[in-house]
Amino acid sequence: MTMASIFSKIISGEIPSYKVAESEAFYAFLDINPMAKGHTLVVPKEEVDYYFDLSNDTLSKMSVFCKDVAKAIEKVVECERVGVAVLGLEVPHAHVHLIPITTLEDLNFSRPKLKLSKSEFETIAENIQKELLK
Ligand code: AMP
């Protein structure tokens, strides 16, 4: 028996998260160590480690899900556009980073992360959720 990944525990609610969006197959929530306000992770509910091991069907549906979330992030956070990154070096459960960016440096993962308060996280997540409902 394999242990549920930290992201599966987030999806099931066992570990709290600042949820942004959810569908039958995907879950989006704010990264706890954000590179920028609105930095969001999109995860398939299916627990697969490596992004490129996801099925073509899941990958294409995940892209469309990411697009909808990114369009909502753009409206809530001031940025030039939303950058996309796939790393998976830390958490072995496939996920996409959606990061509001203005310059190349905004996608530098080695930079110190932002420290946000609980209420800042809550407000950002709520505002993105509201945009998605429009
Ligand atoms: P990576 O696997 O390299 O793509 O990085 C995993 C990302 O997940 C990092 O940016 C972490 O800050 C983020 N992360 C890890 N645990 C949590 C958590 N409990 N809630 C939100 N984000 C998390």
mmCIF file of all heavy atoms in Angstrom, residues 4-46:
data_model
loop_
_atom_site.group_PDB
_atom_site.id
_atom_site.type_symbol
_atom_site.label_atom_id
_atom_site.label_comp_id
_atom_site.label_asym_id
_atom_site.label_seq_id
_atom_site.Cartn_x
_atom_site.Cartn_y
_atom_site.Cartn_z
ATOM 1 N N ALA A 4 -0.698 8.141 0.812
ATOM 2 C CA ALA A 4 -1.264 9.242 0.020
ATOM 3 C C ALA A 4 -0.265 10.393 -0.002
ATOM 4 O O ALA A 4 0.381 10.678 1.008
ATOM 5 C CB ALA A 4 -2.572 9.692 0.645
ATOM 6 N N SER A 5 -0.132 11.044 -1.147
ATOM 7 C CA SER A 5 0.776 12.188 -1.240
ATOM 8 C C SER A 5 0.193 13.356 -0.448
ATOM 9 O O SER A 5 -1.008 13.386 -0.148
ATOM 10 C CB SER A 5 0.949 12.609 -2.706
ATOM 11 O OG SER A 5 -0.181 13.335 -3.134
ATOM 12 N N ILE A 6 1.048 14.314 -0.140
ATOM 13 C CA ILE A 6 0.567 15.499 0.590
ATOM 14 C C ILE A 6 -0.542 16.199 -0.210
ATOM 15 O O ILE A 6 -1.502 16.711 0.378
ATOM 16 C CB ILE A 6 1.731 16.466 0.930
ATOM 17 C CG1 ILE A 6 1.224 17.610 1.793
ATOM 18 C CG2 ILE A 6 2.427 16.988 -0.295
ATOM 19 C CD1 ILE A 6 2.293 18.442 2.443
ATOM 20 N N PHE A 7 -0.456 16.149 -1.529
ATOM 21 C CA PHE A 7 -1.496 16.807 -2.331
ATOM 22 C C PHE A 7 -2.801 16.006 -2.306
ATOM 23 O O PHE A 7 -3.884 16.589 -2.331
ATOM 24 C CB PHE A 7 -1.020 17.048 -3.763
ATOM 25 C CG PHE A 7 0.036 18.136 -3.875
ATOM 26 C CD1 PHE A 7 0.755 18.320 -5.052
ATOM 27 C CD2 PHE A 7 0.302 18.990 -2.812
ATOM 28 C CE1 PHE A 7 1.712 19.323 -5.157
ATOM 29 C CE2 PHE A 7 1.266 19.995 -2.899
ATOM 30 C CZ PHE A 7 1.977 20.157 -4.083
ATOM 31 N N SER A 8 -2.708 14.667 -2.224
ATOM 32 C CA SER A 8 -3.946 13.874 -2.078
ATOM 33 C C SER A 8 -4.599 14.202 -0.736
ATOM 34 O O SER A 8 -5.829 14.259 -0.635
ATOM 35 C CB SER A 8 -3.652 12.378 -2.165
ATOM 36 O OG SER A 8 -3.331 12.039 -3.482
ATOM 37 N N LYS A 9 -3.772 14.431 0.285
ATOM 38 C CA LYS A 9 -4.323 14.785 1.601
ATOM 39 C C LYS A 9 -4.969 16.168 1.563
ATOM 40 O O LYS A 9 -5.947 16.431 2.248
ATOM 41 C CB LYS A 9 -3.225 14.729 2.668
ATOM 42 C CG LYS A 9 -2.801 13.313 2.979
ATOM 43 C CD LYS A 9 -1.714 13.266 4.033
ATOM 44 C CE LYS A 9 -1.321 11.816 4.291
ATOM 45 N NZ LYS A 9 -0.154 11.703 5.151
ATOM 46 N N ILE A 10 -4.417 17.064 0.735
ATOM 47 C CA ILE A 10 -5.020 18.393 0.562
ATOM 48 C C ILE A 10 -6.361 18.246 -0.159
ATOM 49 O O ILE A 10 -7.378 18.820 0.236
ATOM 50 C CB ILE A 10 -4.048 19.321 -0.196
ATOM 51 C CG1 ILE A 10 -2.960 19.798 0.765
ATOM 52 C CG2 ILE A 10 -4.779 20.502 -0.836
ATOM 53 C CD1 ILE A 10 -1.873 20.656 0.145
ATOM 54 N N ILE A 11 -6.380 17.433 -1.215
ATOM 55 C CA ILE A 11 -7.604 17.240 -2.004
ATOM 56 C C ILE A 11 -8.706 16.639 -1.125
ATOM 57 O O ILE A 11 -9.870 17.048 -1.203
ATOM 58 C CB ILE A 11 -7.313 16.342 -3.237
ATOM 59 C CG1 ILE A 11 -6.392 17.079 -4.211
ATOM 60 C CG2 ILE A 11 -8.603 15.916 -3.926
ATOM 61 C CD1 ILE A 11 -5.686 16.181 -5.223
ATOM 62 N N SER A 12 -8.336 15.700 -0.249
ATOM 63 C CA SER A 12 -9.351 15.046 0.597
ATOM 64 C C SER A 12 -9.759 15.925 1.778
ATOM 65 O O SER A 12 -10.719 15.611 2.476
ATOM 66 C CB SER A 12 -8.818 13.712 1.115
ATOM 67 O OG SER A 12 -7.800 13.948 2.074
ATOM 68 N N GLY A 13 -9.015 17.004 2.022
ATOM 69 C CA GLY A 13 -9.341 17.904 3.133
ATOM 70 C C GLY A 13 -8.631 17.522 4.426
ATOM 71 O O GLY A 13 -8.790 18.193 5.446
ATOM 72 N N GLU A 14 -7.850 16.457 4.374
ATOM 73 C CA GLU A 14 -7.114 16.028 5.570
ATOM 74 C C GLU A 14 -6.088 17.090 5.983
ATOM 75 O O GLU A 14 -5.818 17.302 7.160
ATOM 76 C CB GLU A 14 -6.398 14.703 5.249
ATOM 77 C CG GLU A 14 -5.905 13.936 6.440
ATOM 78 C CD GLU A 14 -5.162 12.667 6.015
ATOM 79 O OE1 GLU A 14 -5.566 12.024 5.019
ATOM 80 O OE2 GLU A 14 -4.172 12.343 6.665
ATOM 81 N N ILE A 15 -5.501 17.755 4.984
ATOM 82 C CA ILE A 15 -4.586 18.878 5.218
ATOM 83 C C ILE A 15 -5.263 20.119 4.632
ATOM 84 O O ILE A 15 -5.776 20.066 3.511
ATOM 85 C CB ILE A 15 -3.217 18.624 4.532
ATOM 86 C CG1 ILE A 15 -2.490 17.476 5.229
ATOM 87 C CG2 ILE A 15 -2.353 19.878 4.514
ATOM 88 C CD1 ILE A 15 -1.168 17.099 4.590
ATOM 89 N N PRO A 16 -5.297 21.234 5.395
ATOM 90 C CA PRO A 16 -5.999 22.427 4.890
ATOM 91 C C PRO A 16 -5.271 23.079 3.714
ATOM 92 O O PRO A 16 -4.053 22.931 3.558
ATOM 93 C CB PRO A 16 -6.018 23.367 6.101
ATOM 94 C CG PRO A 16 -4.927 22.895 6.984
ATOM 95 C CD PRO A 16 -4.712 21.434 6.717
ATOM 96 N N SER A 17 -6.033 23.774 2.896
ATOM 97 C CA SER A 17 -5.425 24.516 1.782
ATOM 98 C C SER A 17 -6.294 25.731 1.477
ATOM 99 O O SER A 17 -7.447 25.796 1.912
ATOM 100 C CB SER A 17 -5.335 23.634 0.530
ATOM 101 O OG SER A 17 -6.633 23.353 0.041
ATOM 102 N N TYR A 18 -5.713 26.668 0.746
ATOM 103 C CA TYR A 18 -6.482 27.828 0.269
ATOM 104 C C TYR A 18 -6.982 27.471 -1.125
ATOM 105 O O TYR A 18 -6.311 27.726 -2.130
ATOM 106 C CB TYR A 18 -5.606 29.080 0.270
ATOM 107 C CG TYR A 18 -5.096 29.432 1.647
ATOM 108 C CD1 TYR A 18 -3.790 29.134 2.037
ATOM 109 C CD2 TYR A 18 -5.941 30.029 2.584
ATOM 110 C CE1 TYR A 18 -3.330 29.431 3.311
ATOM 111 C CE2 TYR A 18 -5.489 30.329 3.867
ATOM 112 C CZ TYR A 18 -4.184 30.028 4.214
ATOM 113 O OH TYR A 18 -3.736 30.324 5.481
ATOM 114 N N LYS A 19 -8.166 26.859 -1.141
ATOM 115 C CA LYS A 19 -8.708 26.337 -2.401
ATOM 116 C C LYS A 19 -9.129 27.464 -3.331
ATOM 117 O O LYS A 19 -9.725 28.448 -2.913
ATOM 118 C CB LYS A 19 -9.916 25.457 -2.084
ATOM 119 C CG LYS A 19 -10.617 24.896 -3.281
ATOM 120 C CD LYS A 19 -11.610 23.852 -2.822
ATOM 121 C CE LYS A 19 -12.854 23.888 -3.660
ATOM 122 N NZ LYS A 19 -13.810 22.866 -3.223
ATOM 123 N N VAL A 20 -8.819 27.270 -4.611
ATOM 124 C CA VAL A 20 -9.136 28.257 -5.635
ATOM 125 C C VAL A 20 -10.216 27.710 -6.566
ATOM 126 O O VAL A 20 -11.123 28.427 -6.991
ATOM 127 C CB VAL A 20 -7.830 28.584 -6.407
ATOM 128 C CG1 VAL A 20 -8.110 29.189 -7.748
ATOM 129 C CG2 VAL A 20 -6.932 29.494 -5.575
ATOM 130 N N ALA A 21 -10.120 26.441 -6.896
ATOM 131 C CA ALA A 21 -11.085 25.838 -7.833
ATOM 132 C C ALA A 21 -11.023 24.325 -7.703
ATOM 133 O O ALA A 21 -10.005 23.763 -7.276
ATOM 134 C CB ALA A 21 -10.738 26.223 -9.271
ATOM 135 N N GLU A 22 -12.132 23.685 -8.084
ATOM 136 C CA GLU A 22 -12.168 22.218 -8.051
ATOM 137 C C GLU A 22 -13.115 21.718 -9.124
ATOM 138 O O GLU A 22 -14.155 22.330 -9.381
ATOM 139 C CB GLU A 22 -12.656 21.753 -6.666
ATOM 140 C CG GLU A 22 -12.643 20.244 -6.528
ATOM 141 C CD GLU A 22 -12.879 19.767 -5.085
ATOM 142 O OE1 GLU A 22 -13.280 20.590 -4.234
ATOM 143 O OE2 GLU A 22 -12.666 18.568 -4.844
ATOM 144 N N SER A 23 -12.746 20.621 -9.764
ATOM 145 C CA SER A 23 -13.648 19.934 -10.685
ATOM 146 C C SER A 23 -13.601 18.456 -10.313
ATOM 147 O O SER A 23 -12.919 18.073 -9.355
ATOM 148 C CB SER A 23 -13.204 20.141 -12.136
ATOM 149 O OG SER A 23 -12.023 19.390 -12.378
ATOM 150 N N GLU A 24 -14.277 17.647 -11.102
ATOM 151 C CA GLU A 24 -14.284 16.214 -10.808
ATOM 152 C C GLU A 24 -12.849 15.647 -10.817
ATOM 153 O O GLU A 24 -12.490 14.803 -10.010
ATOM 154 C CB GLU A 24 -15.110 15.513 -11.875
ATOM 155 C CG GLU A 24 -15.755 14.226 -11.420
ATOM 156 C CD GLU A 24 -16.523 13.584 -12.547
ATOM 157 O OE1 GLU A 24 -17.360 14.288 -13.161
ATOM 158 O OE2 GLU A 24 -16.232 12.423 -12.829
ATOM 159 N N ALA A 25 -12.032 16.173 -11.719
ATOM 160 C CA ALA A 25 -10.710 15.575 -11.931
ATOM 161 C C ALA A 25 -9.541 16.398 -11.392
ATOM 162 O O ALA A 25 -8.429 15.866 -11.268
ATOM 163 C CB ALA A 25 -10.495 15.341 -13.428
ATOM 164 N N PHE A 26 -9.776 17.690 -11.092
ATOM 165 C CA PHE A 26 -8.645 18.565 -10.729
ATOM 166 C C PHE A 26 -8.951 19.414 -9.494
ATOM 167 O O PHE A 26 -10.112 19.690 -9.174
ATOM 168 C CB PHE A 26 -8.302 19.496 -11.906
ATOM 169 C CG PHE A 26 -8.046 18.746 -13.177
ATOM 170 C CD1 PHE A 26 -8.965 18.757 -14.205
ATOM 171 C CD2 PHE A 26 -6.896 17.979 -13.323
ATOM 172 C CE1 PHE A 26 -8.752 18.025 -15.369
ATOM 173 C CE2 PHE A 26 -6.668 17.237 -14.468
ATOM 174 C CZ PHE A 26 -7.597 17.269 -15.495
ATOM 175 N N TYR A 27 -7.862 19.872 -8.852
ATOM 176 C CA TYR A 27 -7.979 20.708 -7.653
ATOM 177 C C TYR A 27 -6.922 21.799 -7.769
ATOM 178 O O TYR A 27 -5.771 21.507 -8.125
ATOM 179 C CB TYR A 27 -7.724 19.837 -6.419
ATOM 180 C CG TYR A 27 -8.035 20.487 -5.097
ATOM 181 C CD1 TYR A 27 -9.308 20.396 -4.535
ATOM 182 C CD2 TYR A 27 -7.057 21.185 -4.390
ATOM 183 C CE1 TYR A 27 -9.596 20.979 -3.303
ATOM 184 C CE2 TYR A 27 -7.342 21.771 -3.164
ATOM 185 C CZ TYR A 27 -8.612 21.659 -2.620
ATOM 186 O OH TYR A 27 -8.895 22.242 -1.405
ATOM 187 N N ALA A 28 -7.306 23.043 -7.513
ATOM 188 C CA ALA A 28 -6.360 24.167 -7.572
ATOM 189 C C ALA A 28 -6.356 24.885 -6.231
ATOM 190 O O ALA A 28 -7.411 25.147 -5.649
ATOM 191 C CB ALA A 28 -6.763 25.129 -8.693
ATOM 192 N N PHE A 29 -5.156 25.205 -5.747
ATOM 193 C CA PHE A 29 -5.016 25.867 -4.441
ATOM 194 C C PHE A 29 -3.756 26.717 -4.443
ATOM 195 O O PHE A 29 -2.846 26.521 -5.266
ATOM 196 C CB PHE A 29 -4.972 24.816 -3.315
ATOM 197 C CG PHE A 29 -3.860 23.808 -3.452
ATOM 198 C CD1 PHE A 29 -2.720 23.870 -2.647
ATOM 199 C CD2 PHE A 29 -3.935 22.791 -4.398
ATOM 200 C CE1 PHE A 29 -1.687 22.946 -2.780
ATOM 201 C CE2 PHE A 29 -2.907 21.854 -4.543
ATOM 202 C CZ PHE A 29 -1.784 21.938 -3.734
ATOM 203 N N LEU A 30 -3.705 27.663 -3.499
ATOM 204 C CA LEU A 30 -2.555 28.580 -3.454
ATOM 205 C C LEU A 30 -1.329 27.858 -2.919
ATOM 206 O O LEU A 30 -1.418 27.093 -1.941
ATOM 207 C CB LEU A 30 -2.869 29.783 -2.561
ATOM 208 C CG LEU A 30 -4.005 30.688 -3.047
ATOM 209 C CD1 LEU A 30 -4.183 31.867 -2.081
ATOM 210 C CD2 LEU A 30 -3.751 31.201 -4.469
ATOM 211 N N ASP A 31 -0.193 28.115 -3.577
ATOM 212 C CA ASP A 31 1.087 27.590 -3.079
ATOM 213 C C ASP A 31 1.395 28.275 -1.746
ATOM 214 O O ASP A 31 1.273 29.497 -1.620
ATOM 215 C CB ASP A 31 2.212 27.857 -4.103
ATOM 216 C CG ASP A 31 3.461 27.054 -3.797
ATOM 217 O OD1 ASP A 31 4.003 27.189 -2.675
ATOM 218 O OD2 ASP A 31 3.912 26.304 -4.668
ATOM 219 N N ILE A 32 1.783 27.472 -0.764
ATOM 220 C CA ILE A 32 2.004 27.997 0.590
ATOM 221 C C ILE A 32 3.300 28.819 0.678
ATOM 222 O O ILE A 32 3.461 29.629 1.591
ATOM 223 C CB ILE A 32 1.975 26.827 1.614
ATOM 224 C CG1 ILE A 32 1.599 27.294 2.998
ATOM 225 C CG2 ILE A 32 3.262 26.043 1.633
ATOM 226 C CD1 ILE A 32 0.168 27.675 3.162
ATOM 227 N N ASN A 33 4.203 28.624 -0.264
ATOM 228 C CA ASN A 33 5.457 29.413 -0.336
ATOM 229 C C ASN A 33 5.483 30.143 -1.668
ATOM 230 O O ASN A 33 6.257 29.786 -2.576
ATOM 231 C CB ASN A 33 6.688 28.500 -0.239
ATOM 232 C CG ASN A 33 6.724 27.726 1.057
ATOM 233 O OD1 ASN A 33 6.690 28.325 2.129
ATOM 234 N ND2 ASN A 33 6.779 26.413 0.974
ATOM 235 N N PRO A 34 4.641 31.148 -1.813
ATOM 236 C CA PRO A 34 4.417 31.715 -3.153
ATOM 237 C C PRO A 34 5.578 32.547 -3.692
ATOM 238 O O PRO A 34 6.235 33.274 -2.954
ATOM 239 C CB PRO A 34 3.171 32.581 -2.962
ATOM 240 C CG PRO A 34 3.167 32.928 -1.515
ATOM 241 C CD PRO A 34 3.822 31.782 -0.783
ATOM 242 N N MET A 35 5.787 32.445 -4.986
ATOM 243 C CA MET A 35 6.747 33.302 -5.688
ATOM 244 C C MET A 35 6.121 34.683 -5.907
ATOM 245 O O MET A 35 6.821 35.666 -6.095
ATOM 246 C CB MET A 35 7.061 32.719 -7.059
ATOM 247 C CG MET A 35 7.308 31.243 -7.054
ATOM 248 S SD MET A 35 8.986 30.866 -7.417
ATOM 249 C CE MET A 35 9.113 31.432 -9.075
ATOM 250 N N ALA A 36 4.790 34.715 -5.964
ATOM 251 C CA ALA A 36 4.054 35.965 -6.172
ATOM 252 C C ALA A 36 2.664 35.771 -5.580
ATOM 253 O O ALA A 36 2.218 34.627 -5.419
ATOM 254 C CB ALA A 36 3.925 36.253 -7.670
ATOM 255 N N LYS A 37 1.985 36.869 -5.301
ATOM 256 C CA LYS A 37 0.592 36.751 -4.868
ATOM 257 C C LYS A 37 -0.188 36.059 -5.975
ATOM 258 O O LYS A 37 -0.041 36.419 -7.151
ATOM 259 C CB LYS A 37 0.004 38.134 -4.594
ATOM 260 C CG LYS A 37 0.495 38.715 -3.298
ATOM 261 C CD LYS A 37 -0.215 40.016 -2.945
ATOM 262 C CE LYS A 37 0.308 40.499 -1.609
ATOM 263 N NZ LYS A 37 -0.308 41.765 -1.183
ATOM 264 N N GLY A 38 -0.998 35.091 -5.637
ATOM 265 C CA GLY A 38 -1.797 34.392 -6.643
ATOM 266 C C GLY A 38 -1.125 33.138 -7.188
ATOM 267 O O GLY A 38 -1.720 32.436 -8.012
ATOM 268 N N HIS A 39 0.099 32.841 -6.737
ATOM 269 C CA HIS A 39 0.799 31.619 -7.178
ATOM 270 C C HIS A 39 -0.066 30.417 -6.800
ATOM 271 O O HIS A 39 -0.321 30.145 -5.636
ATOM 272 C CB HIS A 39 2.161 31.574 -6.482
ATOM 273 C CG HIS A 39 3.008 30.388 -6.809
ATOM 274 N ND1 HIS A 39 4.315 30.300 -6.425
ATOM 275 C CD2 HIS A 39 2.756 29.224 -7.454
ATOM 276 C CE1 HIS A 39 4.838 29.148 -6.832
ATOM 277 N NE2 HIS A 39 3.897 28.474 -7.452
ATOM 278 N N THR A 40 -0.496 29.707 -7.822
ATOM 279 C CA THR A 40 -1.477 28.620 -7.651
ATOM 280 C C THR A 40 -0.904 27.305 -8.164
ATOM 281 O O THR A 40 -0.154 27.289 -9.142
ATOM 282 C CB THR A 40 -2.764 28.994 -8.427
ATOM 283 O OG1 THR A 40 -3.309 30.191 -7.858
ATOM 284 C CG2 THR A 40 -3.806 27.898 -8.397
ATOM 285 N N LEU A 41 -1.283 26.218 -7.520
ATOM 286 C CA LEU A 41 -0.913 24.881 -7.995
ATOM 287 C C LEU A 41 -2.171 24.184 -8.496
ATOM 288 O O LEU A 41 -3.217 24.248 -7.842
ATOM 289 C CB LEU A 41 -0.302 24.055 -6.856
ATOM 290 C CG LEU A 41 0.953 24.633 -6.199
ATOM 291 C CD1 LEU A 41 1.398 23.742 -5.038
ATOM 292 C CD2 LEU A 41 2.090 24.771 -7.210
ATOM 293 N N VAL A 42 -2.065 23.545 -9.647
ATOM 294 C CA VAL A 42 -3.175 22.758 -10.189
ATOM 295 C C VAL A 42 -2.748 21.291 -10.198
ATOM 296 O O VAL A 42 -1.692 20.950 -10.740
ATOM 297 C CB VAL A 42 -3.564 23.225 -11.602
ATOM 298 C CG1 VAL A 42 -4.652 22.333 -12.179
ATOM 299 C CG2 VAL A 42 -4.010 24.689 -11.585
ATOM 300 N N VAL A 43 -3.571 20.456 -9.598
ATOM 301 C CA VAL A 43 -3.224 19.056 -9.370
ATOM 302 C C VAL A 43 -4.330 18.150 -9.906
ATOM 303 O O VAL A 43 -5.510 18.421 -9.652
ATOM 304 C CB VAL A 43 -3.110 18.813 -7.832
ATOM 305 C CG1 VAL A 43 -2.635 17.415 -7.535
ATOM 306 C CG2 VAL A 43 -2.212 19.821 -7.189
ATOM 307 N N PRO A 44 -3.964 17.065 -10.595
ATOM 308 C CA PRO A 44 -5.005 16.088 -10.926
ATOM 309 C C PRO A 44 -5.332 15.283 -9.680
ATOM 310 O O PRO A 44 -4.436 14.996 -8.881
ATOM 311 C CB PRO A 44 -4.334 15.203 -11.996
ATOM 312 C CG PRO A 44 -2.882 15.309 -11.710
ATOM 313 C CD PRO A 44 -2.637 16.644 -11.063
ATOM 314 N N LYS A 45 -6.586 14.920 -9.502
ATOM 315 C CA LYS A 45 -6.939 14.134 -8.310
ATOM 316 C C LYS A 45 -6.297 12.758 -8.371
ATOM 317 O O LYS A 45 -5.961 12.176 -7.343
ATOM 318 C CB LYS A 45 -8.456 14.057 -8.181
ATOM 319 C CG LYS A 45 -9.051 15.422 -7.813
ATOM 320 C CD LYS A 45 -10.518 15.347 -7.530
ATOM 321 C CE LYS A 45 -11.025 16.708 -7.068
ATOM 322 N NZ LYS A 45 -12.487 16.744 -6.891
ATOM 323 N N GLU A 46 -6.140 12.272 -9.574
ATOM 324 C CA GLU A 46 -5.456 10.993 -9.785
ATOM 325 C C GLU A 46 -3.997 11.167 -9.333
ATOM 326 O O GLU A 46 -3.349 12.153 -9.705
ATOM 327 C CB GLU A 46 -5.521 10.723 -11.290
ATOM 328 C CG GLU A 46 -4.805 9.532 -11.788
ATOM 329 C CD GLU A 46 -4.694 9.562 -13.324
ATOM 330 O OE1 GLU A 46 -5.135 10.546 -13.965
ATOM 331 O OE2 GLU A 46 -4.161 8.610 -13.857
#
